[in-house]
Amino acid sequence: MKLRLATTSRIALGAALGLALALPAAPAFADAHMDASQNVSEGAGDLEALVAQVQIPYEEFQLENGLTVIVHEDRKAPIVGVAVWYNVGSKDEPTGKTGFAHLFEHLMFNGSENAPADYFQYLQEMGATDYNGTTNFDRTNYFQTVPRPALERALWLESDRMGYLLGAVTQEKLDNQRGVVQNEKRQGDNQPGGLVFYEILGTIFPDGHPYQHSVIGSMADLDAASMDDVRNWFRDKYGPNNATLVLAGDVSAEEARPLVEKWFGPIARGPVNTPAAAEIPTLSEPVRTVMKDQVAATQISIYWPAPGIMSEDLTALNVGTAVLGGLASSRLDEILVRDEQLAVGVSAGNFDFQRVGIINVSATLKDGVDPAVLEARLKQLIEWYIETGPTEDEVRRAATSDLAGTIRGLEQVGGFGGKAVALARGEVLAGDPGFAVDQLATLASITPADVKAAMQKWMTRPAFTLVLEPGERDGTYEEAASVAAEGENASERDRAAEEITVSVTRPAPAIDSVPQLDFPDFERTTLANGMKLTYAKRDAVPATYVTMSFNAGSAADPVDMRGLENLTLGLFDEGTATMSSQQIAEARERLGVNISTGGGDDRSSFTLSALSANLAPSLDLFSSIIREPAFNESDLNRVKAQTITGIRSQMRSPQGIAVRAIGTELFGDTPYGGTTTIDSVSAITRDDLIAFKDTWIRPDNGEVFVISSLPMDEVVAQLNAAFGDWSAPAVAKGEKDFSNLPTSTQGGRIVLINRPNSPQSFILGAQVTPLDASDPAYVDFTNANNSLGGNFLARLNMNLRETKGWSYGVRGGPQARENAVVYAISGGVQADRTGDSVAEMIRETSEFLTTSGVTEEELTRNKASEIGELPGSFETSGSVLSAMQSIALYGRPDNYYETLVDRYTAQTTDSLDAAARAALDVDDFVWVVVGDASVVQPQLESLGLPVEVRQMEGAE
């Protein structure tokens, strides 16, 4: 057995690159930053001290069949993160089989020989949280966080699909999941800019290169996937000696080993996949391409081929791109966005895969600017930055920000980015679970010269420039054969009944106990300024979280000034009485602190996430931002431009279009209705921002929530030092008027918003309910909804995704506000099945509310899931902080979450049916459909509901 200490750094990327925005810096920037570099916050030992806090002790052993097992012990909660990583990804797919690794990942959730039902059923029965599976270029993984008593059940489940899958794979399952994956592809492709990633891969990588095709593959190759492909892929790629199992949490290696031996030991070895070799390509000359799509503004992106994760230049490139366009203080932000205002957004990043990587620098054009001017300036700044390199201060700020974020992320044992991920990624992609140790050691000692050398090595090679302009999408969309063949779906084809074959009977182990949630106790006090404070101690990581929440939210917007709250919040950290936005960003990075704003409909909040050792100076900065915003005219104009671009983006996104429409349909011109428009934002003045701040963001209108590794007295003393003398202004405190809120919906109708050339339609059906989120009976409705729309196994999703294969996913659930609760059903469906899908949503809901309520099987599963999930649901400080605020918003008792077990235990099918029927009326739904009216309108009109056809906002 190997025993080592590992540390982790931020995991960079999943399966795809997305449309990052990025920008470089200007020559005029040099002198100012040379001065700034003399003001490094602490001594050279600070980064090394941070690295010392990022340890993940682990033990590693290997079974005789070759399965690698890594165990990290973390006893903070009775949960265990279970992750299985297979050494195979899309780069290992042969020609003509693109997308197959990802398709197979879907099949791995559709049942195995001893667990033949959908795997989400077993996961919910265990009370699992953070469960899913993903595929990228380099690996396939499956993960779940389970209560400690369910660990053996989880190992049984994972081992059954590793060793005993093929007897349960049928043609029907293959056809269905092919349809699901094709709808996942449509959903991504249907977004503005959704085809760009294909262009990037096709240009950067030459024909035949393993990274040239996307992870999701082509429609034609997905159509062609056969049962023989499935069987061969499983036998060749999914053996134990091609896999790594990581357990992180409430378990030791001594406890884990006999369980792992019991369930995984009998599985026979298979071939070991040798990851496809892949050279780092070099373009023979610079390439420039122009594409059009329904984007809000022109985006200019530049891409360079780069090395993979094992490169000695990896850390230097990460730091270099962060300084260039990744940090809030980045050079591109300061020059292109703040100073010269040629762009509304920028970004830069180094996306590392196993064999290769891609460096990206991007900028989004500001209205009224010539794209050629921005492109030329962007390239000039990149060249200048590469030539001069970053300063010492910039490098240390980038490293501090990275390390501080890593420390905060270490609370989570599993999920998409917890400790299990760091260990598994290191083992599978780098051959060492402790791979991040060297990365962080390098990060702590990286120099400006190292960064400059790496950038000059990789970013002076020929690059690919892609300009994405607003307009009609170019080219013909690739559709699946099942749709092209007059709407026939693979899941509906005639097929012979296929039975599951069980090669070895393996009964599921019992779960002999249910872990109890130990929700942290609250302490309360009052700050010197009169603000009430609620505190809970969490010391898993040395961090402190502070939220200042004010009774405002978007509901505080005047009827004629929609968007005022959002715009005001966006200006608080853009300058104070003594600091510019650039200085604020730099101060945050030196301290390793995050400061964000948010809050939703009912509250406006400011949240600080700081290293506890840096709490006092972090709170000083927090206080300055909240109490002394400058609201400079130049900053207001810049943030307005960014906000307007965001509105335009929302007006082009299928989901954004639907969300913009539904608020007014449900609530009219009341505090919860209305829509932020370009005109409403454009009209807002600096005086309006000041008035909003004085009316709503004030100590007599807010309260404070704290989670910290420090004792409450120490936190309170530091808060009083920063905020104790803050007093309310003389103007009257704001009040919201909800007297005209509708209590029902003018439903039974369809609003069709025409979005031409959409291969998929987005459906959003909603109604205002009589529910009250502060009523304890609200819990009964939410659990009843787990049968209708609340999770993967709910009827709406199982019907439209798993049975019919028309959608990548459909959900339905309550959206709680302080004074209203909306129930909404939403999902994307293939365009040729839009009408059928709305009909199925209506039928499923109607039958659930009348003849087919909650079943005993659903009741048992949903109760077990809700009870079992509770310990894992509050693993992190952020989750507890959010729960604290919900308790306050809805007037719940402090022990609310600990009372839920008794509430769930007492539920019956009759009580849940009564809760659902009292809340929902299928005839009261308004259905907003966003799709191509030429395809969709005839389908909808056949449903017998009135259909109102509208054009997209801003459509010519």
Side-chain angles (χ1 to χ4, degrees):
M1 179 182 293
K2 182 167 65 174
L3 177 64
R4 280 204 49 184
L5 289 178
T7 58
T8 180
S9 62
R10 187 167 43 212
I11 303 304
L13 185 64
L17 261 182
L19 284 177
L21 301 178
L23 308 129
F29 192 66
D31 291 341
H33 277 261
M34 288 303 294
D35 292 338
S37 69
Q38 307 304 315
N39 188 30
V40 178
S41 57
E42 301 290 347
D46 292 340
L47 294 180
E48 286 77 5
L50 286 177
V51 170
Q53 299 180 50
V54 203
Q55 301 298 312
I56 309 178
Y58 71 88
E59 294 186 49
E60 181 180 7
F61 58 89
Q62 195 170 80
L63 303 190
E64 289 186 7
N65 61 12
L67 177 68
T68 298
V69 184
I70 301 166
V71 182
H72 163 68
E73 187 175 351
D74 178 347
R75 301 289 188 178
K76 74 173 181 296
I79 56 175
V80 181
V82 180
V84 181
W85 281 45
Y86 291 90
N87 178 31
V88 59
S90 65
K91 77 171 182 295
D92 304 306
E93 296 164 345
T95 302
K97 305 295 182 185
T98 65
F100 197 74
H102 174 244
L103 174 61
F104 194 83
E105 173 228 307
H106 276 246
L107 285 168
M108 289 280 279
F109 281 99
N110 265 205
S112 55
E113 294 176 12
N114 293 281
D118 195 296
Y119 260 46
F120 290 102
Q121 174 178 320
Y122 305 106
L123 291 166
Q124 288 184 20
E125 289 170 352
M126 289 187 284
T129 54
D130 293 324
Y131 50 81
N132 214 320
T134 69
T135 308
N136 71 9
F137 290 109
D138 302 311
R139 54 96 190 117
T140 304
N141 71 344
Y142 305 89
F143 55 90
Q144 57 265 299
T145 299
V146 299
R148 178 60 177 85
L151 174 59
E152 187 173 4
R153 177 74 66 85
L155 296 176
W156 163 79
L157 191 64
E158 285 290 357
S159 63
D160 208 61
R161 65 175 161 192
M162 177 184 287
Y164 311 95
L165 181 82
L166 288 186
V169 177
T170 65
Q171 185 67 46
E172 181 177 3
K173 289 179 179 180
L174 172 58
D175 288 345
N176 171 261
Q177 290 306 309
R178 185 201 329 271
V180 170
V181 170
Q182 288 175 332
N183 270 302
E184 182 180 359
K185 178 175 167 61
R186 289 186 193 99
Q187 183 167 300
D189 294 353
N190 197 34
Q191 300 304 312
L195 303 183
V196 164
F197 191 53
Y198 305 128
E199 188 74 19
I200 296 168
L201 296 179
T203 303
I204 290 287
F205 300 108
D207 291 345
H209 195 283
Y211 288 88
Q212 191 190 46
H213 66 269
S214 69
V215 175
I216 204 160
S218 74
M219 288 293 195
D221 286 356
L222 290 168
D223 282 332
S226 69
M227 282 295 291
D228 284 342
D229 294 328
V230 169
R231 295 187 178 100
N232 292 335
W233 191 267
F234 177 75
R235 295 184 183 114
D236 290 347
K237 310 298 185 185
Y238 274 73
N241 48 328
N242 201 46
T244 295
L245 168 66
V246 179
L247 305 178
D250 189 15
V251 63
S252 67
E254 183 180 8
E255 294 166 333
R257 185 157 195 159
L259 297 177
V260 175
E261 292 273 13
K262 176 181 178 179
W263 293 109
F264 289 88
I267 302 173
R269 283 177 174 264
V272 173
N273 180 59
T274 300
E279 297 295 326
I280 303 169
T282 300
L283 296 174
S284 59
E285 60 183 1
V287 179
R288 185 178 186 277
T289 298
V290 178
M291 296 178 68
K292 294 182 183 296
D293 206 343
Q294 296 184 39
V295 292
T298 296
Q299 298 171 353
I300 299 166
S301 300
I302 307 172
Y303 302 90
W304 293 263
I309 67 169
M310 298 298 290
S311 169
E312 61 182 11
D313 294 323
L314 176 65
T315 302
L317 290 174
N318 290 342
V319 171
T321 52
V323 172
L324 177 59
L327 298 174
S329 70
S330 76
R331 295 197 176 187
L332 294 178
D333 265 293
E334 181 170 12
I335 296 169
L336 290 178
V337 179
R338 295 188 181 102
D339 291 349
E340 298 177 5
Q341 297 197 21
L342 300 177
V344 293
V346 298
S347 68
N350 176 40
F351 302 103
D352 57 302
F353 310 117
Q354 186 179 38
R355 304 294 200 194
V356 301
I358 298 177
I359 297 169
N360 167 230
V361 179
S362 302
T364 299
L365 189 76
K366 181 181 177 182
D367 270 359
V369 174
D370 184 345
V373 172
L374 175 59
E375 182 176 347
R377 184 61 168 148
L378 177 62
K379 292 180 176 179
Q380 178 191 32
L381 294 176
I382 292 171
E383 291 176 2
W384 174 79
Y385 176 63
I386 292 170
E387 179 184 349
T388 59
T391 68
E392 175 69 21
D393 184 47
E394 288 172 321
V395 169
R396 292 184 65 81
R397 284 192 280 108
T400 302
S401 296
D402 194 338
L403 286 165
T406 299
I407 290 171
R408 288 187 287 264
L410 289 183
E411 270 194 293
Q412 191 169 19
V413 293
F416 284 94
K419 289 187 274 192
V421 172
L423 294 169
R425 184 175 188 262
E427 172 63 29
V428 173
L429 301 188
D432 178 10
F435 169 70
V437 174
D438 293 338
Q439 281 190 301
L440 292 183
T442 301
L443 183 63
S445 60
I446 198 84
T447 68
D450 296 329
V451 174
K452 178 179 176 180
M455 292 190 302
Q456 290 182 341
K457 180 178 179 180
W458 295 105
M459 295 179 66
T460 56
R461 301 183 180 199
F464 170 42
T465 301
L466 191 150
V467 180
L468 181 63
E469 299 176 343
E472 289 299 314
R473 176 175 284 183
D474 298 325
T476 302
Y477 180 76
E478 178 202 16
E479 188 49 276
S482 58
V483 169
E486 299 181 355
E488 181 187 21
N489 279 274
S491 61
E492 296 181 314
R493 298 170 187 157
D494 292 333
R495 59 178 70 89
E498 297 168 283
E499 295 183 358
I500 291 175
T501 302
V502 179
S503 57
V504 178
T505 300
R506 308 165 78 242
I511 301 175
D512 55 13
S513 64
V514 177
Q516 296 299 308
L517 169 67
D518 183 17
F519 196 74
D521 294 330
F522 294 167
E523 297 179 61
R524 287 193 168 82
T525 190
T526 302
L527 296 183
N529 63 16
M531 297 181 77
K532 294 179 180 179
L533 180 143
T534 303
Y535 163 93
K537 185 169 185 179
R538 295 290 291 264
D539 55 10
V541 294
T544 296
Y545 300 80
V546 178
T547 291
M548 285 199 165
S549 177
F550 300 89
N551 185 3
S554 60
D557 282 344
V559 172
D560 60 348
M561 214 176 293
R562 301 290 186 184
L564 174 60
E565 184 255 5
N566 179 68
L567 187 64
T568 305
L569 290 185
L571 266 297
F572 271 88
D573 66 351
E574 293 293 342
T576 70
T578 58
M579 302 176 73
S580 68
S581 59
Q582 181 71 19
Q583 290 171 323
I584 291 172
E586 293 178 6
R588 287 162 55 175
E589 291 154 8
R590 290 190 187 98
L591 292 168
V593 61
N594 286 338
I595 296 174
S596 61
T597 59
D601 293 273
D602 298 300
R603 296 292 184 268
S604 299
S605 61
F606 300 77
T607 297
L608 172 144
S609 171
L611 299 172
S612 292
N614 290 343
L615 181 58
S618 298
L619 285 174
D620 287 341
L621 178 62
F622 196 44
S623 176
S624 182
I625 288 171
I626 295 174
R627 298 173 60 180
E628 303 172 335
F631 296 149
N632 294 315
E633 287 287 355
S634 60
D635 293 326
L636 172 58
N637 292 334
R638 173 170 48 80
V639 175
K640 266 190 186 182
Q642 294 170 328
T643 303
I644 288 169
T645 299
I647 293 171
R648 288 203 177 106
S649 295
Q650 191 180 40
M651 289 162 55
R652 288 158 173 79
S653 158
Q655 184 171 357
I657 293 167
V659 169
R660 288 178 64 78
I662 199 67
T664 302
E665 296 298 329
L666 296 178
F667 291 111
D669 218 7
T670 65
Y672 289 152
T675 304
T676 301
T677 67
I678 293 172
D679 288 343
S680 67
V681 169
S682 298
I684 293 171
T685 67
R686 181 177 184 274
D687 288 343
D688 297 326
L689 304 181
I690 294 170
F692 186 92
K693 172 189 176 296
D694 289 345
T695 304
W696 300 100
I697 310 302
R698 44 195 284 164
D700 59 345
N701 194 45
E703 56 184 318
V704 186
F705 304 91
V706 177
I707 308 281
S708 181
S709 61
L710 302 173
M712 185 179 77
D713 290 349
E714 187 173 338
V715 175
V716 169
Q718 295 189 43
L719 279 165
N720 277 331
F723 289 94
D725 61 348
W726 187 23
S727 59
V731 301
K733 184 171 66 174
E735 294 185 9
K736 291 171 279 188
D737 181 6
F738 292 100
S739 60
N740 294 323
L741 272 186
T743 57
S744 62
T745 309
Q746 295 181 350
R749 56 196 176 92
I750 298 172
V751 176
L752 170 59
I753 301 177
N754 182 29
R755 185 177 184 269
N757 302 316
S758 295
Q760 195 177 68
S761 301
F762 186 81
I763 300 169
L764 174 57
Q767 72 164 115
V768 179
T769 75
L771 291 166
D772 182 347
S774 64
D775 187 338
Y778 182 72
V779 178
D780 298 337
F781 173 77
T782 59
N783 204 18
N785 180 60
N786 284 330
S787 296
L788 177 61
N791 55 48
F792 187 93
L793 294 175
R795 299 179 192 184
L796 290 165
N797 188 65
M798 293 300 287
N799 179 3
L800 292 170
R801 171 182 162 129
E802 295 297 288
T803 299
K804 294 186 167 59
W806 297 344
S807 174
Y808 179 52
V810 174
R811 292 292 189 273
Q815 301 170 356
R817 297 165 174 81
E818 186 175 19
N819 297 283
V821 176
V822 169
Y823 185 85
I825 296 169
S826 64
V829 301
Q830 60 194 61
D832 67 320
R833 290 295 185 175
T834 304
D836 293 337
S837 297
V838 173
E840 285 298 298
M841 292 175 181
I842 293 172
R843 181 190 64 78
E844 286 281 10
T845 306
S846 177
E847 292 179 1
F848 177 70
L849 297 174
T850 54
T851 60
S852 303
V854 178
T855 67
E856 287 290 346
E857 179 183 359
E858 289 171 334
L859 176 69
T860 300
R861 181 180 69 235
N862 292 337
K863 287 167 68 171
S865 176
E866 292 289 352
I867 293 171
E869 287 177 3
L870 284 170
S873 297
F874 300 104
E875 178 189 5
T876 65
S877 295
S879 60
V880 176
L881 190 68
S882 177
M884 281 175 136
Q885 294 171 71
S886 291
I887 284 172
L889 181 63
Y890 301 120
R892 294 167 174 166
D894 287 358
N895 68 340
Y896 170 78
Y897 292 100
E898 292 175 322
T899 69
L900 291 180
V901 172
D902 289 341
R903 186 85 196 186
Y904 290 129
T905 302
Q907 290 171 346
T908 66
T909 57
D910 287 343
S911 69
L912 296 191
D913 286 345
R917 291 165 186 172
L920 302 183
D921 181 351
V922 71
D923 295 327
D924 206 23
F925 277 68
V926 173
W927 298 93
V928 174
V929 178
V930 181
D932 189 329
S934 66
V935 176
V936 170
Q937 185 174 353
Q939 301 175 43
L940 297 177
E941 289 176 341
S942 69
L943 300 179
L945 297 176
V947 178
E948 176 187 346
V949 182
R950 301 178 188 169
Q951 299 304 311
M952 292 193 306
E953 293 178 85
E956 296 180 358

